[in-house]
Amino acid sequence: FDLQPDASIWPELPALNRMATRLGYAMSRGRAEAEVAWLYPEWKVQNFPNFGVEPGAFESETSKALRAAGLTYTRVSRNALRDAVASDASLRIGEASFDALVVSDVLAADPSLLASIQAAADAGIPVVWLGDFPTRADGLVDASARDAEVAMWVESLESSVDVVREASEVAPALLSAGVVPSLAPLDENGTQLSVAHRRVSGGELHYVFNESFVERSEQLRVAGAFARLTLFDPDTGEQLPTMLDGDVVALTLGPAQGVVLYIER
């Protein structure tokens, strides 16, 4: 942008900065929460434009499917997953805990990575595997022996994880396994809103954002018992009227508009 006093956006900047500061403060409280850990694939650098990117551009079908189901996720590295601790149906990676694991686009893998995925499945954590299993180990050191280890782990995983072939099958598999979104859409077609979730003292904060350029109205079911739900406008900081029916909150968000939900537990 041409940011100087004669630019048309100049008078809007103070309000924009206040909104960004207000929202940044709220969504840095407590710790981030996500239901799903999604293994990051081998890194591939893509050249894409920096400007004029429309909503949903460069988003994968798997990401769209998870978001539509109301499921939040964090991409995790192979090294992080190898160091994960799996117990009592919870997968702990660093300071984060997850209810499920999604694996996709793994063409070659270190046997220790597959061992960690098997450990997660053995601990009762739902594991959804999208696509084919690896047929070889990565790297060339002791290739034959490590390829044999990969084949051994794959044989074990085939009977331990839920294998799906299409991205559209990932979210239904997770929901069928008992993974519960913090804000679940009532519409059978899912939600088109994006959700960020943080756990704070006494409850949770959600930022719900309409990425599209059209108004959207949706109903979302709050998981678990709660004492009170309050909505805040990040543009003004003011409390908004709450349309709440039992555990279902109704939201209407304008184009590129968001709202902060504070849920007191």
Side-chain angles (χ1 to χ4, degrees), residues 5-155:
D6 293 330
S8 60
I9 197 176
W10 191 261
E12 307 292 337
L13 290 180
L16 177 65
N17 288 335
R18 284 193 294 271
M19 181 276 290
T21 303
R22 186 180 294 117
L23 184 59
Y25 176 82
M27 298 310 293
S28 61
R29 301 303 89 197
R31 68 176 190 272
E33 291 272 311
E35 293 87 27
V36 179
W38 181 8
L39 181 63
Y40 204 88
E42 291 295 334
W43 176 250
K44 296 180 181 179
V45 178
Q46 294 183 346
N47 182 22
F48 57 88
N50 292 318
F51 300 102
V53 179
E54 293 298 311
F58 308 107
E59 186 178 11
S60 71
E61 293 303 313
T62 304
S63 173
K64 292 176 184 177
L66 290 171
R67 184 159 59 89
L71 293 167
T72 55
Y73 65 85
T74 294
R75 302 305 299 261
V76 298
S77 71
R78 296 185 176 207
N79 286 340
L81 184 54
R82 275 194 291 261
D83 295 334
V85 176
S87 63
D88 300 326
S90 178
L91 183 66
R92 188 167 185 83
I93 301 176
E95 295 300 316
S97 296
F98 301 93
D99 301 325
L101 173 65
V102 171
V103 182
S104 61
D105 304 307
V106 178
L107 304 179
D110 189 281
S112 63
L113 173 67
L114 301 181
S116 295
I117 297 173
Q118 182 64 62
D122 291 342
I125 298 161
V127 179
V128 176
W129 193 294
L130 173 60
D132 296 326
F133 287 98
T135 57
R136 62 179 179 84
D138 52 3
L140 297 175
V141 178
D142 297 327
S144 296
R146 293 172 66 248
D147 286 351
E149 282 190 78
V150 167
M152 178 195 71
W153 284 115
V154 166
E155 184 178 2

Side-chain angles (χ1 to χ4, degrees), residues 4 13 96 155 165 186 222 229 242 244 256 261:
Q4 42 85 20
L13 290 180
E155 184 178 2
R165 292 296 170 186
L186 262 61
V222 180
L229 185 149
T242 303
L244 191 63
L261 281 71

Side-chain angles (χ1 to χ4, degrees), residues 138-203:
D138 52 3
L140 297 175
V141 178
D142 297 327
S144 296
R146 293 172 66 248
D147 286 351
E149 282 190 78
V150 167
M152 178 195 71
W153 284 115
V154 166
E155 184 178 2
S156 176
L157 287 167
E158 285 176 330
S159 60
S160 303
V161 304
D162 192 348
V163 181
V164 299
R165 292 296 170 186
E166 302 292 337
S168 59
E169 301 176 84
V170 173
L174 291 168
L175 297 175
S176 296
V179 181
V180 179
S182 57
L183 295 176
L186 262 61
D187 192 313
E188 61 180 10
N189 295 318
T191 179
Q192 297 190 59
L193 304 176
S194 297
V195 178
H197 181 197
R198 298 191 71 84
R199 186 168 299 280
V200 295
S201 178

Side-chain angles (χ1 to χ4, degrees), residues 2 41 47 65 68 72 91 107 121 131 172 210 215 228 232 235:
D2 179 21
N47 182 22
T72 55
L91 183 66
L107 304 179
N210 175 13
E215 183 178 272
R228 185 166 61 174
F232 293 98
D235 289 315

